[in-house]
Amino acid sequence: MNLVDKTEKTFALTTPLYYVNDVPHVGSAYTTMAADVLARFHRLLGRRVLLITGTDEHGQKIQRSAESVGKAPQEFCDEIVPSFVNLWQLLNIQYDRFSRTTATRHEAIVKQFFGRVWEKGDIYQGQQKGWYCVSCEEFKEERELLEGHRCPIHTNKEVEWRDEQNYFFRLSKYQTQLQEFYQSHPDFIQPESRRNEVLNFVEQGLQDFSISRVNLDWGFPVPTDPQHTLYVWFDALLGYVTALLEPDDEPTLENALATWWPINLHLIGKDILRFHAVYWPAMLLSSGLPLPERVFGHGFLTKDGQKMGKALGNTLDPVALVQRYGSDAVRYYFLKEIEFGKDGDFNEVRFINVLNADLANDLGNLLNRTLNMVKKYCPGDALPIANEAIPAEHPLKTIGLRLGEQVKRAYEALAFSHACEPILLLVQASNKFIDDQAPWSLYKQGQQQEVEKVLYAVLESVRLAAYLLSPVIPNISNDIYRQLGFGINFNDRIKTSIAAPFSIHATWGVLSSKQQLGTPQPIFKRIEPPKND
């Protein structure tokens, strides 16, 4: 199979394919928001981007969830999937493909992939004995279990003992090859803590893993033995490949892999790291396919310092959160306040304080009061000067000239908080600058040109901040750009990749003397803390 060479002009990334045993939770929203930010950033770089998300709909966990409400599994899945689609719309997620593992096209891809691995001699029949976590859809080693045979991830669930005939994949065969790959591709697993976790796991010796179940109807039958059903991970991971098919393509591996493979980035939660960083690469090696470029496992979320769960009554409904505060607010807090890759916490008081300080006060008030001063002090409500009038040693220009490259490196490293922080420092410096320069006093002294220079420097800094923050807060960035007289829409994928290339708009000094400035309007209304009952 001849795969088309990928270039720097394309970027394909995936979220996990989420279980549909229940409606989406805030952890699923967190991963998907991060993926959307990356996709938007790479579009700003002028790249063709393919963002894949979707749902994993097979397995015992799904079957049991359907049975608990008296529904057939497919009917149950069909009712849950729209809740993911609707939440992604609420969060302003610009995904390109939504992969469902119950799709007919997906079954064709799974069968072909199975055939490749079968012909390689890497699938065999054996007896599976061990402790199984239905919630993880994974066998657990004795050493991993908590007291009372409870799962280390789903700590309130006891694992189940299984002794059954399964088909296995020869993972042990690929131990040395995987270790050599990790050594030669040190950035394959990120962040460093996740990489070390995988290296330690592999170093202890890899065991072959089960890829089928018996006495389970909900899933694809094993092509060589229909009495067995393919295990969810051997099925689900291939959902990434199925999603690469163009809508009118015949569902073949060759067609699926023709343009976008290998995937540049798999973005996942750390609980499914092993499947993506060990099992998946080994399966691809067996099938003779190139491996993905990078797997990034982020941390878990807590609420008020506690693990979230229905039993504790402290779950965080992402739909309610967005409906109450708006998508940009939710995106900004989770990506700016939590260091991506580490565990993070949601606290509503801090959430409100951060949004009021950063978006309402620092950024919003700065834009509005500066535009109002333009209307008050400048003839024709316009700034008749441009970048050339601002010297290179100007304090705001000095920050702005190096900021674009700094933020670019942070986005590329998935360091979202490190991307946002220096942008806010420019905003804060602009607030201090306008207070120190006091253009209202300069105007009274008749220093018109100095007034215009101050206002230009501040508005250009606000523009640059809006552009660099647009992957995180696209709606607010749109409002700022519109008030500054630009026609760019950061929710338009074509315009952001063509009309607003990063090389131009990430540079300080874009605001033109011919710019038709708009009427100042609040970009983010201050949030009042909820009243205690």
mmCIF file with all atom_site columns, all heavy atoms in Angstrom, residues 65-85:
data_model
loop_
_atom_site.group_PDB
_atom_site.id
_atom_site.type_symbol
_atom_site.label_atom_id
_atom_site.label_alt_id
_atom_site.label_comp_id
_atom_site.label_asym_id
_atom_site.label_entity_id
_atom_site.label_seq_id
_atom_site.pdbx_PDB_ins_code
_atom_site.Cartn_x
_atom_site.Cartn_y
_atom_site.Cartn_z
_atom_site.occupancy
_atom_site.B_iso_or_equiv
_atom_site.pdbx_formal_charge
_atom_site.auth_seq_id
_atom_site.auth_comp_id
_atom_site.auth_asym_id
_atom_site.auth_atom_id
_atom_site.pdbx_PDB_model_num
ATOM 1   N N   . SER A 1 65 ? -25.765 -1.138 30.301 1.00 0.00 ? 65 SER A N   1
ATOM 2   C CA  . SER A 1 65 ? -26.444 0.145  30.466 1.00 0.00 ? 65 SER A CA  1
ATOM 3   C C   . SER A 1 65 ? -27.772 0.148  29.723 1.00 0.00 ? 65 SER A C   1
ATOM 4   O O   . SER A 1 65 ? -28.779 0.670  30.225 1.00 0.00 ? 65 SER A O   1
ATOM 5   C CB  . SER A 1 65 ? -25.553 1.283  29.958 1.00 0.00 ? 65 SER A CB  1
ATOM 6   O OG  . SER A 1 65 ? -24.380 1.394  30.727 1.00 0.00 ? 65 SER A OG  1
ATOM 7   N N   . ALA A 1 66 ? -27.787 -0.448 28.527 1.00 0.00 ? 66 ALA A N   1
ATOM 8   C CA  . ALA A 1 66 ? -29.023 -0.523 27.747 1.00 0.00 ? 66 ALA A CA  1
ATOM 9   C C   . ALA A 1 66 ? -30.045 -1.425 28.449 1.00 0.00 ? 66 ALA A C   1
ATOM 10  O O   . ALA A 1 66 ? -31.239 -1.074 28.548 1.00 0.00 ? 66 ALA A O   1
ATOM 11  C CB  . ALA A 1 66 ? -28.723 -1.053 26.351 1.00 0.00 ? 66 ALA A CB  1
ATOM 12  N N   . GLU A 1 67 ? -29.576 -2.556 28.953 1.00 0.00 ? 67 GLU A N   1
ATOM 13  C CA  . GLU A 1 67 ? -30.477 -3.480 29.640 1.00 0.00 ? 67 GLU A CA  1
ATOM 14  C C   . GLU A 1 67 ? -31.093 -2.852 30.884 1.00 0.00 ? 67 GLU A C   1
ATOM 15  O O   . GLU A 1 67 ? -32.256 -3.107 31.223 1.00 0.00 ? 67 GLU A O   1
ATOM 16  C CB  . GLU A 1 67 ? -29.718 -4.753 30.025 1.00 0.00 ? 67 GLU A CB  1
ATOM 17  C CG  . GLU A 1 67 ? -29.340 -5.628 28.818 1.00 0.00 ? 67 GLU A CG  1
ATOM 18  C CD  . GLU A 1 67 ? -28.399 -6.764 29.206 1.00 0.00 ? 67 GLU A CD  1
ATOM 19  O OE1 . GLU A 1 67 ? -27.900 -6.754 30.364 1.00 0.00 ? 67 GLU A OE1 1
ATOM 20  O OE2 . GLU A 1 67 ? -28.155 -7.640 28.350 1.00 0.00 ? 67 GLU A OE2 1
ATOM 21  N N   . SER A 1 68 ? -30.319 -1.995 31.549 1.00 0.00 ? 68 SER A N   1
ATOM 22  C CA  . SER A 1 68 ? -30.800 -1.403 32.803 1.00 0.00 ? 68 SER A CA  1
ATOM 23  C C   . SER A 1 68 ? -31.995 -0.472 32.588 1.00 0.00 ? 68 SER A C   1
ATOM 24  O O   . SER A 1 68 ? -32.755 -0.197 33.524 1.00 0.00 ? 68 SER A O   1
ATOM 25  C CB  . SER A 1 68 ? -29.669 -0.634 33.489 1.00 0.00 ? 68 SER A CB  1
ATOM 26  O OG  . SER A 1 68 ? -29.332 0.532  32.753 1.00 0.00 ? 68 SER A OG  1
ATOM 27  N N   . VAL A 1 69 ? -32.144 0.023  31.354 1.00 0.00 ? 69 VAL A N   1
ATOM 28  C CA  . VAL A 1 69 ? -33.291 0.897  31.048 1.00 0.00 ? 69 VAL A CA  1
ATOM 29  C C   . VAL A 1 69 ? -34.250 0.238  30.066 1.00 0.00 ? 69 VAL A C   1
ATOM 30  O O   . VAL A 1 69 ? -35.124 0.889  29.490 1.00 0.00 ? 69 VAL A O   1
ATOM 31  C CB  . VAL A 1 69 ? -32.822 2.264  30.499 1.00 0.00 ? 69 VAL A CB  1
ATOM 32  C CG1 . VAL A 1 69 ? -32.109 3.051  31.576 1.00 0.00 ? 69 VAL A CG1 1
ATOM 33  C CG2 . VAL A 1 69 ? -31.931 2.090  29.276 1.00 0.00 ? 69 VAL A CG2 1
ATOM 34  N N   . GLY A 1 70 ? -34.080 -1.073 29.858 1.00 0.00 ? 70 GLY A N   1
ATOM 35  C CA  . GLY A 1 70 ? -35.014 -1.833 29.049 1.00 0.00 ? 70 GLY A CA  1
ATOM 36  C C   . GLY A 1 70 ? -34.969 -1.508 27.565 1.00 0.00 ? 70 GLY A C   1
ATOM 37  O O   . GLY A 1 70 ? -36.004 -1.573 26.885 1.00 0.00 ? 70 GLY A O   1
ATOM 38  N N   . LYS A 1 71 ? -33.794 -1.180 27.061 1.00 0.00 ? 71 LYS A N   1
ATOM 39  C CA  . LYS A 1 71 ? -33.675 -0.839 25.640 1.00 0.00 ? 71 LYS A CA  1
ATOM 40  C C   . LYS A 1 71 ? -32.703 -1.770 24.948 1.00 0.00 ? 71 LYS A C   1
ATOM 41  O O   . LYS A 1 71 ? -31.799 -2.347 25.581 1.00 0.00 ? 71 LYS A O   1
ATOM 42  C CB  . LYS A 1 71 ? -33.189 0.610  25.473 1.00 0.00 ? 71 LYS A CB  1
ATOM 43  C CG  . LYS A 1 71 ? -34.160 1.658  25.992 1.00 0.00 ? 71 LYS A CG  1
ATOM 44  C CD  . LYS A 1 71 ? -33.652 3.054  25.725 1.00 0.00 ? 71 LYS A CD  1
ATOM 45  C CE  . LYS A 1 71 ? -34.589 4.113  26.306 1.00 0.00 ? 71 LYS A CE  1
ATOM 46  N NZ  . LYS A 1 71 ? -35.889 4.119  25.647 1.00 0.00 ? 71 LYS A NZ  1
ATOM 47  N N   . ALA A 1 72 ? -32.865 -1.916 23.631 1.00 0.00 ? 72 ALA A N   1
ATOM 48  C CA  . ALA A 1 72 ? -31.884 -2.634 22.829 1.00 0.00 ? 72 ALA A CA  1
ATOM 49  C C   . ALA A 1 72 ? -30.622 -1.775 22.747 1.00 0.00 ? 72 ALA A C   1
ATOM 50  O O   . ALA A 1 72 ? -30.702 -0.536 22.747 1.00 0.00 ? 72 ALA A O   1
ATOM 51  C CB  . ALA A 1 72 ? -32.431 -2.896 21.426 1.00 0.00 ? 72 ALA A CB  1
ATOM 52  N N   . PRO A 1 73 ? -29.420 -2.386 22.671 1.00 0.00 ? 73 PRO A N   1
ATOM 53  C CA  . PRO A 1 73 ? -28.178 -1.603 22.661 1.00 0.00 ? 73 PRO A CA  1
ATOM 54  C C   . PRO A 1 73 ? -28.123 -0.531 21.577 1.00 0.00 ? 73 PRO A C   1
ATOM 55  O O   . PRO A 1 73 ? -27.704 0.592  21.849 1.00 0.00 ? 73 PRO A O   1
ATOM 56  C CB  . PRO A 1 73 ? -27.097 -2.665 22.467 1.00 0.00 ? 73 PRO A CB  1
ATOM 57  C CG  . PRO A 1 73 ? -27.676 -3.905 23.050 1.00 0.00 ? 73 PRO A CG  1
ATOM 58  C CD  . PRO A 1 73 ? -29.133 -3.841 22.725 1.00 0.00 ? 73 PRO A CD  1
ATOM 59  N N   . GLN A 1 74 ? -28.548 -0.873 20.357 1.00 0.00 ? 74 GLN A N   1
ATOM 60  C CA  . GLN A 1 74 ? -28.466 0.121  19.285 1.00 0.00 ? 74 GLN A CA  1
ATOM 61  C C   . GLN A 1 74 ? -29.408 1.293  19.556 1.00 0.00 ? 74 GLN A C   1
ATOM 62  O O   . GLN A 1 74 ? -29.046 2.455  19.343 1.00 0.00 ? 74 GLN A O   1
ATOM 63  C CB  . GLN A 1 74 ? -28.806 -0.515 17.934 1.00 0.00 ? 74 GLN A CB  1
ATOM 64  C CG  . GLN A 1 74 ? -28.581 0.421  16.745 1.00 0.00 ? 74 GLN A CG  1
ATOM 65  C CD  . GLN A 1 74 ? -27.108 0.757  16.550 1.00 0.00 ? 74 GLN A CD  1
ATOM 66  O OE1 . GLN A 1 74 ? -26.304 -0.094 16.226 1.00 0.00 ? 74 GLN A OE1 1
ATOM 67  N NE2 . GLN A 1 74 ? -26.755 2.024  16.754 1.00 0.00 ? 74 GLN A NE2 1
ATOM 68  N N   . GLU A 1 75 ? -30.597 0.993  20.023 1.00 0.00 ? 75 GLU A N   1
ATOM 69  C CA  . GLU A 1 75 ? -31.543 2.056  20.363 1.00 0.00 ? 75 GLU A CA  1
ATOM 70  C C   . GLU A 1 75 ? -30.975 2.947  21.463 1.00 0.00 ? 75 GLU A C   1
ATOM 71  O O   . GLU A 1 75 ? -31.072 4.187  21.403 1.00 0.00 ? 75 GLU A O   1
ATOM 72  C CB  . GLU A 1 75 ? -32.872 1.442  20.819 1.00 0.00 ? 75 GLU A CB  1
ATOM 73  C CG  . GLU A 1 75 ? -33.933 2.472  21.211 1.00 0.00 ? 75 GLU A CG  1
ATOM 74  C CD  . GLU A 1 75 ? -35.152 1.831  21.863 1.00 0.00 ? 75 GLU A CD  1
ATOM 75  O OE1 . GLU A 1 75 ? -35.118 0.615  22.147 1.00 0.00 ? 75 GLU A OE1 1
ATOM 76  O OE2 . GLU A 1 75 ? -36.136 2.571  22.113 1.00 0.00 ? 75 GLU A OE2 1
ATOM 77  N N   . PHE A 1 76 ? -30.368 2.322  22.454 1.00 0.00 ? 76 PHE A N   1
ATOM 78  C CA  . PHE A 1 76 ? -29.762 3.068  23.561 1.00 0.00 ? 76 PHE A CA  1
ATOM 79  C C   . PHE A 1 76 ? -28.664 3.999  23.037 1.00 0.00 ? 76 PHE A C   1
ATOM 80  O O   . PHE A 1 76 ? -28.611 5.185  23.395 1.00 0.00 ? 76 PHE A O   1
ATOM 81  C CB  . PHE A 1 76 ? -29.197 2.085  24.588 1.00 0.00 ? 76 PHE A CB  1
ATOM 82  C CG  . PHE A 1 76 ? -28.504 2.736  25.749 1.00 0.00 ? 76 PHE A CG  1
ATOM 83  C CD1 . PHE A 1 76 ? -29.234 3.230  26.822 1.00 0.00 ? 76 PHE A CD1 1
ATOM 84  C CD2 . PHE A 1 76 ? -27.122 2.853  25.775 1.00 0.00 ? 76 PHE A CD2 1
ATOM 85  C CE1 . PHE A 1 76 ? -28.604 3.826  27.900 1.00 0.00 ? 76 PHE A CE1 1
ATOM 86  C CE2 . PHE A 1 76 ? -26.481 3.450  26.846 1.00 0.00 ? 76 PHE A CE2 1
ATOM 87  C CZ  . PHE A 1 76 ? -27.217 3.932  27.909 1.00 0.00 ? 76 PHE A CZ  1
ATOM 88  N N   . CYS A 1 77 ? -27.788 3.464  22.187 1.00 0.00 ? 77 CYS A N   1
ATOM 89  C CA  . CYS A 1 77 ? -26.691 4.272  21.623 1.00 0.00 ? 77 CYS A CA  1
ATOM 90  C C   . CYS A 1 77 ? -27.242 5.439  20.801 1.00 0.00 ? 77 CYS A C   1
ATOM 91  O O   . CYS A 1 77 ? -26.750 6.573  20.906 1.00 0.00 ? 77 CYS A O   1
ATOM 92  C CB  . CYS A 1 77 ? -25.786 3.411  20.745 1.00 0.00 ? 77 CYS A CB  1
ATOM 93  S SG  . CYS A 1 77 ? -24.848 2.165  21.652 1.00 0.00 ? 77 CYS A SG  1
ATOM 94  N N   . ASP A 1 78 ? -28.239 5.153  19.994 1.00 0.00 ? 78 ASP A N   1
ATOM 95  C CA  . ASP A 1 78 ? -28.811 6.192  19.132 1.00 0.00 ? 78 ASP A CA  1
ATOM 96  C C   . ASP A 1 78 ? -29.430 7.326  19.939 1.00 0.00 ? 78 ASP A C   1
ATOM 97  O O   . ASP A 1 78 ? -29.529 8.463  19.452 1.00 0.00 ? 78 ASP A O   1
ATOM 98  C CB  . ASP A 1 78 ? -29.869 5.588  18.203 1.00 0.00 ? 78 ASP A CB  1
ATOM 99  C CG  . ASP A 1 78 ? -29.256 4.679  17.140 1.00 0.00 ? 78 ASP A CG  1
ATOM 100 O OD1 . ASP A 1 78 ? -28.034 4.773  16.911 1.00 0.00 ? 78 ASP A OD1 1
ATOM 101 O OD2 . ASP A 1 78 ? -30.011 3.880  16.542 1.00 0.00 ? 78 ASP A OD2 1
ATOM 102 N N   . GLU A 1 79 ? -29.848 7.037  21.162 1.00 0.00 ? 79 GLU A N   1
ATOM 103 C CA  . GLU A 1 79 ? -30.430 8.080  22.016 1.00 0.00 ? 79 GLU A CA  1
ATOM 104 C C   . GLU A 1 79 ? -29.354 8.884  22.751 1.00 0.00 ? 79 GLU A C   1
ATOM 105 O O   . GLU A 1 79 ? -29.545 10.067 23.041 1.00 0.00 ? 79 GLU A O   1
ATOM 106 C CB  . GLU A 1 79 ? -31.397 7.452  23.018 1.00 0.00 ? 79 GLU A CB  1
ATOM 107 C CG  . GLU A 1 79 ? -32.674 6.912  22.379 1.00 0.00 ? 79 GLU A CG  1
ATOM 108 C CD  . GLU A 1 79 ? -33.631 6.325  23.397 1.00 0.00 ? 79 GLU A CD  1
ATOM 109 O OE1 . GLU A 1 79 ? -33.294 6.343  24.607 1.00 0.00 ? 79 GLU A OE1 1
ATOM 110 O OE2 . GLU A 1 79 ? -34.713 5.854  23.004 1.00 0.00 ? 79 GLU A OE2 1
ATOM 111 N N   . ILE A 1 80 ? -28.215 8.243  23.049 1.00 0.00 ? 80 ILE A N   1
ATOM 112 C CA  . ILE A 1 80 ? -27.157 8.915  23.808 1.00 0.00 ? 80 ILE A CA  1
ATOM 113 C C   . ILE A 1 80 ? -26.251 9.752  22.904 1.00 0.00 ? 80 ILE A C   1
ATOM 114 O O   . ILE A 1 80 ? -25.818 10.848 23.282 1.00 0.00 ? 80 ILE A O   1
ATOM 115 C CB  . ILE A 1 80 ? -26.316 7.893  24.591 1.00 0.00 ? 80 ILE A CB  1
ATOM 116 C CG1 . ILE A 1 80 ? -27.165 7.220  25.676 1.00 0.00 ? 80 ILE A CG1 1
ATOM 117 C CG2 . ILE A 1 80 ? -25.093 8.561  25.219 1.00 0.00 ? 80 ILE A CG2 1
ATOM 118 C CD1 . ILE A 1 80 ? -27.585 8.136  26.800 1.00 0.00 ? 80 ILE A CD1 1
ATOM 119 N N   . VAL A 1 81 ? -25.954 9.260  21.703 1.00 0.00 ? 81 VAL A N   1
ATOM 120 C CA  . VAL A 1 81 ? -25.002 9.947  20.818 1.00 0.00 ? 81 VAL A CA  1
ATOM 121 C C   . VAL A 1 81 ? -25.355 11.415 20.586 1.00 0.00 ? 81 VAL A C   1
ATOM 122 O O   . VAL A 1 81 ? -24.469 12.283 20.624 1.00 0.00 ? 81 VAL A O   1
ATOM 123 C CB  . VAL A 1 81 ? -24.867 9.190  19.477 1.00 0.00 ? 81 VAL A CB  1
ATOM 124 C CG1 . VAL A 1 81 ? -24.166 10.048 18.426 1.00 0.00 ? 81 VAL A CG1 1
ATOM 125 C CG2 . VAL A 1 81 ? -24.098 7.888  19.689 1.00 0.00 ? 81 VAL A CG2 1
ATOM 126 N N   . PRO A 1 82 ? -26.632 11.783 20.355 1.00 0.00 ? 82 PRO A N   1
ATOM 127 C CA  . PRO A 1 82 ? -26.937 13.211 20.148 1.00 0.00 ? 82 PRO A CA  1
ATOM 128 C C   . PRO A 1 82 ? -26.536 14.112 21.311 1.00 0.00 ? 82 PRO A C   1
ATOM 129 O O   . PRO A 1 82 ? -26.298 15.304 21.108 1.00 0.00 ? 82 PRO A O   1
ATOM 130 C CB  . PRO A 1 82 ? -28.454 13.212 19.946 1.00 0.00 ? 82 PRO A CB  1
ATOM 131 C CG  . PRO A 1 82 ? -28.766 11.854 19.399 1.00 0.00 ? 82 PRO A CG  1
ATOM 132 C CD  . PRO A 1 82 ? -27.826 10.937 20.116 1.00 0.00 ? 82 PRO A CD  1
ATOM 133 N N   . SER A 1 83 ? -26.448 13.560 22.518 1.00 0.00 ? 83 SER A N   1
ATOM 134 C CA  . SER A 1 83 ? -26.041 14.395 23.656 1.00 0.00 ? 83 SER A CA  1
ATOM 135 C C   . SER A 1 83 ? -24.583 14.837 23.506 1.00 0.00 ? 83 SER A C   1
ATOM 136 O O   . SER A 1 83 ? -24.218 15.941 23.952 1.00 0.00 ? 83 SER A O   1
ATOM 137 C CB  . SER A 1 83 ? -26.237 13.641 24.981 1.00 0.00 ? 83 SER A CB  1
ATOM 138 O OG  . SER A 1 83 ? -25.393 12.507 25.062 1.00 0.00 ? 83 SER A OG  1
ATOM 139 N N   . PHE A 1 84 ? -23.753 14.008 22.890 1.00 0.00 ? 84 PHE A N   1
ATOM 140 C CA  . PHE A 1 84 ? -22.368 14.412 22.597 1.00 0.00 ? 84 PHE A CA  1
ATOM 141 C C   . PHE A 1 84 ? -22.345 15.467 21.496 1.00 0.00 ? 84 PHE A C   1
ATOM 142 O O   . PHE A 1 84 ? -21.661 16.490 21.616 1.00 0.00 ? 84 PHE A O   1
ATOM 143 C CB  . PHE A 1 84 ? -21.539 13.193 22.187 1.00 0.00 ? 84 PHE A CB  1
ATOM 144 C CG  . PHE A 1 84 ? -21.171 12.295 23.327 1.00 0.00 ? 84 PHE A CG  1
ATOM 145 C CD1 . PHE A 1 84 ? -22.026 11.288 23.745 1.00 0.00 ? 84 PHE A CD1 1
ATOM 146 C CD2 . PHE A 1 84 ? -19.972 12.454 23.985 1.00 0.00 ? 84 PHE A CD2 1
ATOM 147 C CE1 . PHE A 1 84 ? -21.699 10.451 24.802 1.00 0.00 ? 84 PHE A CE1 1
ATOM 148 C CE2 . PHE A 1 84 ? -19.618 11.628 25.055 1.00 0.00 ? 84 PHE A CE2 1
ATOM 149 C CZ  . PHE A 1 84 ? -20.492 10.627 25.458 1.00 0.00 ? 84 PHE A CZ  1
ATOM 150 N N   . VAL A 1 85 ? -23.077 15.224 20.439 1.00 0.00 ? 85 VAL A N   1
ATOM 151 C CA  . VAL A 1 85 ? -23.128 16.172 19.324 1.00 0.00 ? 85 VAL A CA  1
ATOM 152 C C   . VAL A 1 85 ? -23.622 17.535 19.810 1.00 0.00 ? 85 VAL A C   1
ATOM 153 O O   . VAL A 1 85 ? -23.042 18.582 19.464 1.00 0.00 ? 85 VAL A O   1
ATOM 154 C CB  . VAL A 1 85 ? -24.041 15.635 18.204 1.00 0.00 ? 85 VAL A CB  1
ATOM 155 C CG1 . VAL A 1 85 ? -24.214 16.683 17.106 1.00 0.00 ? 85 VAL A CG1 1
ATOM 156 C CG2 . VAL A 1 85 ? -23.470 14.340 17.619 1.00 0.00 ? 85 VAL A CG2 1
#
